[in-house]
Amino acid sequence: MASDGARKQFWKRSNSKVPGSIQHVYGAQHPPFDPLLHGTLLKAAPKVPTTPVKAKRISTFQEFESNTSDAWDAGEDDDGLLAMAAESLNTDVVMETANRVLRNHSQRQERHKLQEAPGPKQKPEPAAEPPSVPSGDLRLVKSVSESHTSCPAEGASDTVPLQRSQSLPYSVTVTMGGTSDPSALSSSALSEREASRLDKFKQLLAGPNTDLEELRKLSWSGIPKPVRPITWKLLSGYLPANVDRRPATLQRKQKEYFAFIEHYYDSRNDDVHQDTYRQIHIDIPRMSPEALILQPKVTEIFERILFIWAIRHPASGYVQGINDLVTPFFVVFMCEHIDEEDVDTADVSRVPADVLRNVEADTYWCMSKLLDGIQDNYTFAQPGIQMKVKMLEELVSRIDDQVHRHLDQHEVRYLQFAFRWMNNLLMREVPLRCTIRLWDTYQSEPDGFSHFHLYVCAAFLVRWRKEILEERDFQELLLFLQNLPTAQWGNEDVSLLLAEAYRLKFAFADAPNHYKK
């Protein structure tokens, strides 16, 4: 037929511009590009091949269709890297190599445990074989460290595994002060790792000009307790990177803060400010940890910090929830001056007065830096929080539609439980030690408190998937979501949560079209 001949001639004539000729797209943040819809872009920016590739002539539409039938199949080839690997590597070889690496790692762990535990000689158990992977599955194989890190979370919560298995930006490490799992790492090995990480931090901080980008990379997986105060001050932008300028900056900022106290604090009983001060005075005793907050000196410090901040930021003033953001900074900065392991119960009255003054000023300025990035959370009607709760709802509907529909079916609204997650940055949901570990990463991420926190909340909700789906009543669901069982959480739980949050950010942060159905 004439029409068939014309169609074949068309495909022969225009084979260089068909969609199958575009390069692979890397990352879920870049959805497939349709040249039929964006033809002008292709003309404006002609593609220059970077490597010489022999062109493959497509003579008919049938051949073109067979060669590009899976071009837009996101489910089978979600990542361009996977497609390239599938073309150049034999699947059997890949899987055999991955299994051999996992098997050797398991055997070394078994031998190491036997050497660390002296006792009656026992026949060592054979190393467990890693789960076999179907040869037809070309999904990216997890690294050894990632697979071991993610196992506890999967067994504990039965969460739905993400489709993408990208590596974290920096290795997720069970960091300082946490209780290690004896089956994964011996105490001596953990202490060696802690010492090694601490040395890296000290070397980085000892230079004349601290490399803040490198410091962020190192801090993402946790900051050792001895160097956490100085690291937080640097990452928050309170202290300069230049070592010689720091003493003068500290002195100037502390002097400036106490000038505010002298100028403004006496006005707390004036008619215009007494409501603000009264609300602060009421909220502080409700904070945790009570053993620390209820000490008279600490209460006075918190009242001054919050009142001065409210007076100097009239656009928002004081809002409930801001008071919780003082505690992590105060506790971390007190660690420099208290020998006790648990600062939560330390007697602050034994700390010299000049040290307390310095800690108070440092806490004020670092909290101010944090709030500068999330102030729309606390302005009139709190639009920042409402927007983030809406984004959380859309994100959860994409990553776990079953949980989303279950909440909707029982008329549980995200604002009823997630408002506090955004308002207090999860401080009321996890222990203080976990909040401090979270903030290590937040200060290492670009816009960590305003942007990355959204993905942490999404991962936090999906973490309780099994328990949420078991609840069949509105009241029980809401009570559970407002009183999550995190009292025994440690650094390992937080590291797993952050790993999941990073994967969500990798998949959705730069893909607004993937954000909605």
Side-chain angles (χ1 to χ4, degrees):
M1 294 175 64
S3 60
D4 290 342
R7 194 179 310 166
K8 290 181 180 180
Q9 290 299 320
F10 169 77
W11 288 109
K12 287 181 180 179
R13 188 170 57 252
S14 58
N15 58 5
S16 62
K17 300 181 181 180
V18 295
S21 65
I22 68 173
Q23 293 180 340
H24 293 288
V25 178
Y26 298 96
Q29 67 270 36
H30 302 293
F33 183 77
D34 189 350
L36 298 178
L37 299 177
H38 304 83
T40 57
L41 295 178
L42 287 177
K43 293 176 183 177
K47 182 176 65 176
V48 179
T50 57
T51 56
V53 180
K54 185 176 180 181
K56 189 180 292 185
R57 180 171 179 81
I58 302 174
S59 58
T60 66
F61 175 72
Q62 287 77 14
E63 292 179 23
F64 159 73
E65 185 179 27
S66 65
N67 287 336
T68 61
S69 60
D70 62 343
W72 312 129
D73 192 346
E76 291 298 323
D77 190 12
D78 195 27
D79 198 329
L81 290 173
L82 301 183
M84 294 174 67
E87 292 173 5
S88 59
L89 295 178
N90 182 281
T91 306
D92 295 334
V93 174
V94 171
M95 298 315 303
E96 181 183 352
T97 304
N99 288 333
R100 186 166 62 250
V101 169
L102 291 174
R103 187 160 54 248
N104 292 341
H105 179 77
S106 300
Q107 291 171 353
R108 284 198 300 271
Q109 290 285 73
E110 289 292 333
R111 289 196 298 269
H112 189 71
K113 283 189 287 183
L114 290 174
Q115 293 172 1
E116 290 292 331
K121 294 184 178 179
Q122 297 178 354
K123 186 178 180 181
E125 297 180 2
E129 288 287 331
S132 60
V133 183
S135 60
D137 190 359
L138 298 179
R139 294 285 173 193
L140 190 64
V141 179
K142 287 187 178 182
S143 66
V144 173
S145 60
E146 189 177 349
S147 63
H148 279 269
T149 307
S150 60
C151 286
E154 294 170 3
S157 60
D158 294 333
T159 56
V160 175
L162 292 176
Q163 292 182 354
R164 306 181 62 83
S165 299
Q166 296 293 338
S167 301
L168 296 180
Y170 327 108
S171 59
V172 180
T173 321
V174 181
T175 53
M176 325 315 291
T179 303
S180 62
D181 183 1
S183 65
L185 206 61
S186 67
S187 59
S188 61
L190 182 60
S191 62
E192 289 176 7
R193 173 186 268 178
E194 290 176 358
S196 173
R197 281 179 53 78
L198 183 57
D199 286 342
K200 289 180 181 178
F201 272 93
K202 287 182 175 178
Q203 290 173 12
L204 190 59
L205 295 169
N209 288 284
T210 304
D211 186 343
L212 295 181
E213 188 59 35
E214 191 64 30
L215 187 62
R216 288 189 182 94
K217 291 180 180 179
L218 202 56
S219 302
W220 202 97
S221 53
I223 303 172
K225 187 176 179 180
V227 295
R228 184 175 274 136
I230 182 66
T231 303
W232 276 26
K233 291 173 188 177
L234 286 167
L235 293 180
S236 65
Y238 172 46
L239 285 184
N242 184 274
V243 174
D244 296 333
R245 292 175 53 204
R246 290 175 196 169
T249 301
L250 278 174
Q251 187 176 4
R252 175 172 55 84
K253 285 292 189 179
Q254 290 165 0
K255 184 178 179 180
E256 188 177 346
Y257 170 71
F258 285 104
F260 294 153
I261 296 288
E262 186 177 350
H263 189 267
Y264 294 115
Y265 196 59
D266 288 340
S267 67
R268 63 188 182 280
N269 293 319
D270 294 353
D271 291 342
V272 67
H273 298 315
Q274 64 179 357
D275 287 343
T276 298
Y277 179 74
R278 176 179 170 275
Q279 189 62 55
I280 292 171
H281 190 71
I282 290 172
D283 288 344
I284 288 177
R286 300 171 180 171
M287 296 166 62
S288 62
E290 292 182 359
L292 178 68
I293 302 299
L294 295 182
Q295 296 182 43
K297 283 193 175 182
V298 178
T299 301
E300 292 172 11
I301 289 171
F302 277 43
E303 286 179 354
R304 286 196 292 266
I305 289 173
L306 292 168
F307 183 77
I308 295 301
W309 190 88
I311 293 298
R312 298 194 68 246
H313 295 81
S316 61
Y318 172 74
V319 178
Q320 286 178 305
I322 294 178
N323 53 312
D324 282 326
L325 307 184
V326 181
T327 309
F329 289 114
F330 183 79
V331 168
V332 167
F333 297 155
M334 284 296 296
C335 288
E336 284 185 294
H337 311 287
I338 292 180
D339 296 331
E340 300 175 34
E341 184 67 25
D342 193 358
V343 182
D344 301 3
T345 58
D347 185 2
V348 176
S349 63
R350 294 189 282 109
V351 179
D354 59 334
V355 170
L356 278 179
R357 284 171 59 87
N358 294 341
V359 169
E360 179 179 346
D362 295 344
T363 301
Y364 170 81
W365 287 113
C366 287
M367 186 200 74
S368 297
K369 291 284 188 180
L370 186 161
L371 287 169
D372 286 347
I374 57 172
Q375 194 167 355
D376 61 342
N377 285 7
Y378 305 105
T379 53
F380 178 73
Q382 298 181 270
I385 291 180
Q386 296 196 44
M387 179 183 67
K388 290 183 178 73
V389 171
K390 180 63 178 175
M391 292 169 68
L392 175 66
E393 183 176 356
E394 293 175 353
L395 182 57
V396 173
S397 70
R398 294 291 293 151
I399 63 177
D400 197 329
D401 188 54
Q402 190 176 1
V403 168
H404 175 73
R405 284 188 285 103
H406 186 76
L407 294 174
D408 185 63
Q409 179 183 349
H410 293 89
E411 300 182 348
V412 176
R413 301 292 172 253
Y414 283 75
L415 207 60
Q416 294 170 326
F417 62 89
F419 180 88
R420 190 172 72 182
W421 297 7
M422 304 297 179
N423 193 50
N424 303 81
L425 297 178
L426 287 177
M427 281 197 61
R428 296 292 178 98
E429 320 308 321
V430 298
L432 180 60
R433 62 184 179 274
C434 295
T435 298
I436 291 172
R437 170 62 191 90
L438 271 176
W439 285 23
D440 287 347
T441 299
Y442 281 2
Q443 297 194 78
S444 307
E445 277 280 327
D447 302 317
F449 292 97
S450 61
H451 187 63
F452 187 63
H453 179 67
L454 169 68
Y455 300 96
V456 172
C457 288
F460 189 61
L461 179 62
V462 176
R463 162 66 178 79
W464 308 102
R465 179 180 198 277
K466 180 181 178 182
E467 292 83 353
I468 289 172
L469 296 178
E470 287 174 352
E471 299 290 351
R472 301 290 179 178
D473 176 71
F474 167 81
Q475 184 175 355
E476 295 298 325
L477 264 172
L478 205 55
L479 283 174
F480 175 75
L481 290 169
Q482 292 178 345
N483 300 276
L484 294 165
T486 59
Q488 303 303 318
W489 270 34
N491 284 341
E492 185 178 359
D493 300 284
V494 177
S495 295
L496 292 169
L497 181 68
L498 290 167
E500 192 81 353
Y502 179 79
R503 292 194 184 100
L504 294 178
K505 179 191 172 188
F506 182 86
F508 292 98
D510 297 323
N513 290 335
H514 289 196
Y515 214 63
K516 301 176 182 179
K517 291 184 178 181

